[in-house]
Tab-separated table of all heavy atoms in Angstrom:
chain	number	residue	atom	x	y	z
A	29	ALA	N	0.850	-1.192	0.000
A	29	ALA	CA	0.000	0.000	0.000
A	29	ALA	C	0.886	1.243	0.000
A	29	ALA	O	1.981	1.248	0.579
A	29	ALA	CB	-0.903	0.009	1.229
A	30	PRO	N	0.445	2.334	-0.644
A	30	PRO	CA	1.260	3.554	-0.675
A	30	PRO	C	1.367	4.202	0.708
A	30	PRO	O	0.369	4.324	1.422
A	30	PRO	CB	0.526	4.456	-1.670
A	30	PRO	CG	-0.879	3.955	-1.667
A	30	PRO	CD	-0.807	2.486	-1.414
A	31	LEU	N	2.591	4.613	1.046
A	31	LEU	CA	2.856	5.264	2.332
A	31	LEU	C	3.554	6.599	2.108
A	31	LEU	O	4.154	6.841	1.062
A	31	LEU	CB	3.753	4.383	3.220
A	31	LEU	CG	3.295	2.964	3.531
A	31	LEU	CD1	4.348	2.270	4.393
A	31	LEU	CD2	1.950	2.963	4.232
A	32	VAL	N	3.472	7.444	3.124
A	32	VAL	CA	4.274	8.665	3.194
A	32	VAL	C	5.374	8.415	4.222
A	32	VAL	O	5.098	7.925	5.325
A	32	VAL	CB	3.428	9.872	3.624
A	32	VAL	CG1	4.303	11.113	3.743
A	32	VAL	CG2	2.298	10.114	2.635
A	33	ARG	N	6.585	8.745	3.853
A	33	ARG	CA	7.730	8.596	4.778
A	33	ARG	C	8.270	9.983	5.098
A	33	ARG	O	8.601	10.758	4.196
A	33	ARG	CB	8.814	7.732	4.134
A	33	ARG	CG	10.100	7.649	4.946
A	33	ARG	CD	11.061	6.679	4.311
A	33	ARG	NE	12.357	6.715	4.969
A	33	ARG	CZ	13.220	5.705	4.982
A	33	ARG	NH1	12.909	4.563	4.377
A	33	ARG	NH2	14.376	5.824	5.587
A	34	LEU	N	8.346	10.294	6.394
A	34	LEU	CA	8.858	11.580	6.856
A	34	LEU	C	10.169	11.376	7.612
A	34	LEU	O	10.280	10.466	8.433
A	34	LEU	CB	7.855	12.263	7.792
A	34	LEU	CG	6.417	12.433	7.306
A	34	LEU	CD1	5.596	13.122	8.389
A	34	LEU	CD2	6.372	13.202	6.011
A	35	GLU	N	11.139	12.224	7.344
A	35	GLU	CA	12.383	12.265	8.121
A	35	GLU	C	12.369	13.568	8.913
A	35	GLU	O	12.268	14.655	8.328
A	35	GLU	CB	13.607	12.207	7.205
A	35	GLU	CG	13.700	10.962	6.337
A	35	GLU	CD	13.992	9.701	7.127
A	35	GLU	OE1	14.479	9.818	8.282
A	35	GLU	OE2	13.744	8.600	6.599
A	36	THR	N	12.448	13.458	10.219
A	36	THR	CA	12.310	14.641	11.063
A	36	THR	C	13.463	14.769	12.045
A	36	THR	O	14.122	13.788	12.400
A	36	THR	CB	10.997	14.597	11.859
A	36	THR	OG1	10.980	13.448	12.708
A	36	THR	CG2	9.794	14.524	10.911
A	37	LEU	N	13.683	16.008	12.469
A	37	LEU	CA	14.653	16.326	13.518
A	37	LEU	C	13.911	17.080	14.599
A	37	LEU	O	13.166	18.016	14.308
A	37	LEU	CB	15.785	17.189	12.958
A	37	LEU	CG	16.799	17.750	13.969
A	37	LEU	CD1	17.598	16.617	14.599
A	37	LEU	CD2	17.733	18.741	13.281
A	38	ARG	N	14.123	16.672	15.862
A	38	ARG	CA	13.465	17.354	16.979
A	38	ARG	C	14.521	17.919	17.915
A	38	ARG	O	15.509	17.260	18.226
A	38	ARG	CB	12.530	16.392	17.702
A	38	ARG	CG	11.352	15.971	16.827
A	38	ARG	CD	10.407	15.070	17.557
A	38	ARG	NE	9.207	14.829	16.773
A	38	ARG	CZ	8.162	14.143	17.199
A	38	ARG	NH1	8.166	13.622	18.412
A	38	ARG	NH2	7.115	13.968	16.425
A	39	LEU	N	14.252	19.152	18.348
A	39	LEU	CA	15.227	19.884	19.146
A	39	LEU	C	14.599	20.429	20.416
A	39	LEU	O	13.382	20.658	20.469
A	39	LEU	CB	15.813	21.050	18.338
A	39	LEU	CG	16.397	20.739	16.958
A	39	LEU	CD1	15.356	21.019	15.885
A	39	LEU	CD2	17.660	21.545	16.698
A	40	ALA	N	15.442	20.655	21.416
A	40	ALA	CA	15.045	21.331	22.645
A	40	ALA	C	16.021	22.479	22.857
A	40	ALA	O	17.226	22.251	23.003
A	40	ALA	CB	15.084	20.373	23.835
A	41	ASP	N	15.498	23.711	22.831
A	41	ASP	CA	16.372	24.894	22.920
A	41	ASP	C	17.494	24.834	21.888
A	41	ASP	O	18.662	25.069	22.191
A	41	ASP	CB	16.974	25.012	24.327
A	41	ASP	CG	15.968	25.508	25.346
A	41	ASP	OD1	14.905	26.025	24.932
A	41	ASP	OD2	16.236	25.376	26.553
A	42	ARG	N	17.144	24.473	20.676
A	42	ARG	CA	18.072	24.413	19.536
A	42	ARG	C	19.084	23.273	19.636
A	42	ARG	O	19.965	23.139	18.769
A	42	ARG	CB	18.811	25.746	19.343
A	42	ARG	CG	17.900	26.898	18.977
A	42	ARG	CD	18.666	28.187	18.825
A	42	ARG	NE	19.314	28.586	20.077
A	42	ARG	CZ	20.131	29.616	20.183
A	42	ARG	NH1	20.432	30.342	19.116
A	42	ARG	NH2	20.655	29.935	21.348
A	43	VAL	N	18.996	22.457	20.674
A	43	VAL	CA	19.881	21.305	20.815
A	43	VAL	C	19.182	20.090	20.192
A	43	VAL	O	18.070	19.741	20.589
A	43	VAL	CB	20.202	21.022	22.296
A	43	VAL	CG1	21.063	19.764	22.420
A	43	VAL	CG2	20.903	22.211	22.917
A	44	PRO	N	19.794	19.433	19.204
A	44	PRO	CA	19.152	18.268	18.593
A	44	PRO	C	19.026	17.117	19.585
A	44	PRO	O	20.001	16.725	20.234
A	44	PRO	CB	20.078	17.915	17.426
A	44	PRO	CG	21.393	18.537	17.753
A	44	PRO	CD	21.101	19.750	18.584
A	45	ILE	N	17.821	16.586	19.704
A	45	ILE	CA	17.547	15.499	20.644
A	45	ILE	C	17.374	14.165	19.923
A	45	ILE	O	17.912	13.155	20.339
A	45	ILE	CB	16.280	15.798	21.470
A	45	ILE	CG1	16.469	17.083	22.285
A	45	ILE	CG2	15.937	14.621	22.387
A	45	ILE	CD1	17.577	17.007	23.314
A	46	CYS	N	16.596	14.178	18.834
A	46	CYS	CA	16.385	12.917	18.130
A	46	CYS	C	16.070	13.156	16.664
A	46	CYS	O	15.590	14.214	16.271
A	46	CYS	CB	15.267	12.102	18.788
A	46	CYS	SG	13.604	12.718	18.493
A	47	VAL	N	16.388	12.167	15.870
A	47	VAL	CA	15.957	12.120	14.478
A	47	VAL	C	15.005	10.940	14.358
A	47	VAL	O	15.142	9.927	15.059
A	47	VAL	CB	17.135	11.969	13.499
A	47	VAL	CG1	17.938	13.239	13.409
A	47	VAL	CG2	18.041	10.810	13.901
A	48	GLY	N	14.028	11.082	13.484
A	48	GLY	CA	13.027	10.031	13.387
A	48	GLY	C	12.571	9.796	11.961
A	48	GLY	O	12.557	10.712	11.132
A	49	THR	N	12.218	8.559	11.687
A	49	THR	CA	11.588	8.180	10.432
A	49	THR	C	10.177	7.741	10.763
A	49	THR	O	9.981	6.857	11.600
A	49	THR	CB	12.345	7.040	9.753
A	49	THR	OG1	13.726	7.400	9.611
A	49	THR	CG2	11.757	6.737	8.373
A	50	THR	N	9.196	8.372	10.125
A	50	THR	CA	7.790	8.093	10.392
A	50	THR	C	7.103	7.669	9.105
A	50	THR	O	7.318	8.272	8.046
A	50	THR	CB	7.077	9.345	10.943
A	50	THR	OG1	7.735	9.772	12.146
A	50	THR	CG2	5.612	9.055	11.246
A	51	TRP	N	6.296	6.620	9.207
A	51	TRP	CA	5.511	6.157	8.063
A	51	TRP	C	4.027	6.307	8.379
A	51	TRP	O	3.578	5.996	9.488
A	51	TRP	CB	5.789	4.694	7.754
A	51	TRP	CG	7.144	4.394	7.227
A	51	TRP	CD1	7.540	4.349	5.912
A	51	TRP	CD2	8.310	4.045	7.992
A	51	TRP	NE1	8.863	4.015	5.812
A	51	TRP	CE2	9.373	3.824	7.071
A	51	TRP	CE3	8.566	3.908	9.365
A	51	TRP	CZ2	10.644	3.470	7.471
A	51	TRP	CZ3	9.834	3.558	9.759
A	51	TRP	CH2	10.858	3.340	8.825
A	52	LEU	N	3.275	6.799	7.399
A	52	LEU	CA	1.825	6.939	7.512
A	52	LEU	C	1.189	6.474	6.205
A	52	LEU	O	1.816	6.500	5.146
A	52	LEU	CB	1.418	8.386	7.773
A	52	LEU	CG	2.083	9.164	8.906
A	52	LEU	CD1	3.217	10.032	8.360
A	52	LEU	CD2	1.079	10.043	9.625
A	53	SER	N	-0.075	6.099	6.278
A	53	SER	CA	-0.824	5.733	5.083
A	53	SER	C	-1.010	6.958	4.187
A	53	SER	O	-1.511	7.996	4.641
A	53	SER	CB	-2.191	5.163	5.472
A	53	SER	OG	-3.050	5.117	4.347
A	54	ALA	N	-0.618	6.841	2.926
A	54	ALA	CA	-0.773	7.964	2.003
A	54	ALA	C	-2.244	8.247	1.730
A	54	ALA	O	-2.627	9.404	1.508
A	54	ALA	CB	-0.036	7.667	0.696
A	55	ALA	N	-3.072	7.213	1.758
A	55	ALA	CA	-4.504	7.409	1.535
A	55	ALA	C	-5.148	8.121	2.717
A	55	ALA	O	-6.019	8.973	2.542
A	55	ALA	CB	-5.183	6.063	1.288
A	56	ARG	N	-4.714	7.793	3.922
A	56	ARG	CA	-5.302	8.375	5.127
A	56	ARG	C	-4.743	9.767	5.409
A	56	ARG	O	-5.436	10.627	5.946
A	56	ARG	CB	-5.010	7.445	6.320
A	56	ARG	CG	-5.534	7.921	7.670
A	56	ARG	CD	-7.032	7.759	7.769
A	56	ARG	NE	-7.517	8.073	9.101
A	56	ARG	CZ	-7.772	9.306	9.534
A	56	ARG	NH1	-7.556	10.338	8.738
A	56	ARG	NH2	-8.240	9.512	10.751
A	57	PHE	N	-3.480	10.005	5.041
A	57	PHE	CA	-2.814	11.266	5.381
A	57	PHE	C	-2.133	11.892	4.160
A	57	PHE	O	-0.902	12.019	4.125
A	57	PHE	CB	-1.788	11.037	6.492
A	57	PHE	CG	-2.362	10.475	7.758
A	57	PHE	CD1	-2.241	9.121	8.050
A	57	PHE	CD2	-3.043	11.285	8.643
A	57	PHE	CE1	-2.780	8.598	9.226
A	57	PHE	CE2	-3.579	10.775	9.815
A	57	PHE	CZ	-3.455	9.424	10.110
A	58	PRO	N	-2.901	12.288	3.163
A	58	PRO	CA	-2.296	12.970	2.012
A	58	PRO	C	-1.697	14.311	2.452
A	58	PRO	O	-2.204	14.961	3.363
A	58	PRO	CB	-3.476	13.171	1.057
A	58	PRO	CG	-4.685	13.182	1.957
A	58	PRO	CD	-4.379	12.214	3.061
A	59	ASP	N	-0.586	14.686	1.828
A	59	ASP	CA	0.074	15.969	2.132
A	59	ASP	C	0.602	16.042	3.560
A	59	ASP	O	0.786	17.135	4.110
A	59	ASP	CB	-0.871	17.148	1.889
A	59	ASP	CG	-1.362	17.204	0.450
A	59	ASP	OD1	-0.546	16.942	-0.451
A	59	ASP	OD2	-2.552	17.496	0.244
A	60	ALA	N	0.866	14.889	4.170
A	60	ALA	CA	1.361	14.893	5.553
A	60	ALA	C	2.682	15.655	5.674
A	60	ALA	O	2.915	16.349	6.663
A	60	ALA	CB	1.530	13.462	6.057
A	61	ALA	N	3.542	15.532	4.670
A	61	ALA	CA	4.837	16.213	4.738
A	61	ALA	C	4.655	17.723	4.787
A	61	ALA	O	5.306	18.420	5.585
A	61	ALA	CB	5.703	15.815	3.545
A	62	ALA	N	3.779	18.250	3.952
A	62	ALA	CA	3.551	19.694	3.921
A	62	ALA	C	2.942	20.185	5.234
A	62	ALA	O	3.305	21.261	5.733
A	62	ALA	CB	2.636	20.058	2.751
A	63	ILE	N	2.040	19.383	5.798
A	63	ILE	CA	1.411	19.782	7.060
A	63	ILE	C	2.444	19.779	8.188
A	63	ILE	O	2.502	20.710	9.002
A	63	ILE	CB	0.237	18.857	7.408
A	63	ILE	CG1	-0.803	18.841	6.280
A	63	ILE	CG2	-0.410	19.278	8.725
A	63	ILE	CD1	-1.341	20.204	5.921
A	64	TYR	N	3.286	18.750	8.231
A	64	TYR	CA	4.301	18.710	9.298
A	64	TYR	C	5.311	19.845	9.120
A	64	TYR	O	5.736	20.468	10.093
A	64	TYR	CB	5.028	17.367	9.321
A	64	TYR	CG	6.024	17.302	10.457
A	64	TYR	CD1	5.619	16.951	11.742
A	64	TYR	CD2	7.358	17.652	10.268
A	64	TYR	CE1	6.512	16.936	12.800
A	64	TYR	CE2	8.258	17.650	11.315
A	64	TYR	CZ	7.831	17.288	12.576
A	64	TYR	OH	8.716	17.290	13.623
A	65	GLN	N	5.697	20.113	7.888
A	65	GLN	CA	6.661	21.190	7.663
A	65	GLN	C	6.108	22.522	8.158
A	65	GLN	O	6.847	23.349	8.696
A	65	GLN	CB	7.004	21.275	6.177
A	65	GLN	CG	8.089	22.293	5.874
A	65	GLN	CD	8.565	22.210	4.442
A	65	GLN	OE1	7.801	21.886	3.536
A	65	GLN	NE2	9.839	22.465	4.220
A	66	ARG	N	4.818	22.727	7.995
A	66	ARG	CA	4.205	23.981	8.427
A	66	ARG	C	4.039	24.054	9.937
A	66	ARG	O	4.234	25.105	10.542
A	66	ARG	CB	2.841	24.148	7.758
A	66	ARG	CG	2.229	25.521	8.004
A	66	ARG	CD	0.911	25.714	7.291
A	66	ARG	NE	-0.175	24.991	7.950
A	66	ARG	CZ	-0.912	24.057	7.383
A	66	ARG	NH1	-0.689	23.696	6.134
A	66	ARG	NH2	-1.885	23.458	8.053
A	67	THR	N	3.688	22.935	10.567
A	67	THR	CA	3.381	22.949	11.997
A	67	THR	C	4.553	22.577	12.885
A	67	THR	O	4.625	23.010	14.037
A	67	THR	CB	2.221	21.989	12.303
A	67	THR	OG1	2.627	20.640	11.985
A	67	THR	CG2	0.987	22.339	11.483
A	68	GLY	N	5.483	21.743	12.379
A	68	GLY	CA	6.605	21.287	13.190
A	68	GLY	C	6.193	20.406	14.351
A	68	GLY	O	6.916	20.269	15.328
A	69	SER	N	5.023	19.757	14.225
A	69	SER	CA	4.491	18.958	15.337
A	69	SER	C	3.671	17.802	14.798
A	69	SER	O	2.776	18.000	13.967
A	69	SER	CB	3.613	19.837	16.239
A	69	SER	OG	2.805	19.062	17.101
A	70	MET	N	3.964	16.592	15.292
A	70	MET	CA	3.172	15.430	14.917
A	70	MET	C	1.741	15.563	15.430
A	70	MET	O	0.780	15.206	14.745
A	70	MET	CB	3.807	14.148	15.460
A	70	MET	CG	5.088	13.744	14.758
A	70	MET	SD	4.790	13.300	13.034
A	70	MET	CE	6.463	12.880	12.520
A	71	THR	N	1.595	16.068	16.646
A	71	THR	CA	0.261	16.225	17.230
A	71	THR	C	-0.587	17.186	16.399
A	71	THR	O	-1.760	16.916	16.114
A	71	THR	CB	0.374	16.722	18.681
A	71	THR	OG1	1.098	15.766	19.452
A	71	THR	CG2	-1.001	16.921	19.293
A	72	LYS	N	-0.003	18.310	15.992
A	72	LYS	CA	-0.737	19.282	15.177
A	72	LYS	C	-1.014	18.736	13.785
A	72	LYS	O	-2.061	19.023	13.190
A	72	LYS	CB	0.037	20.584	15.099
A	72	LYS	CG	0.100	21.333	16.422
A	72	LYS	CD	0.921	22.615	16.303
A	72	LYS	CE	0.999	23.342	17.633
A	72	LYS	NZ	1.843	24.563	17.544
């Protein structure tokens, strides 16, 4: 099935804490990359 793969960096006070690879259903979450880039938050 088609997926969206996101590569993210998370920081605390500009200090890098973790890098992550996230997979989501492309059918369920179209444009997920653009939304995350705008919000900078998985929850948002």
Side-chain angles (χ1 to χ4, degrees):
L31 304 179
V32 178
R33 173 175 173 155
L34 307 180
E35 300 291 341
T36 61
L37 173 66
R38 294 182 172 185
L39 307 96
D41 285 345
R42 296 179 298 174
V43 177
I45 299 297
C46 74
V47 288
T49 306
T50 302
W51 291 269
L52 309 98
S53 165
R56 179 74 174 83
F57 301 101
D59 301 320
I63 303 304
Y64 183 84
Q65 185 171 32
R66 188 177 75 239
T67 63
S69 164
M70 289 294 180
T71 299
K72 291 178 181 178

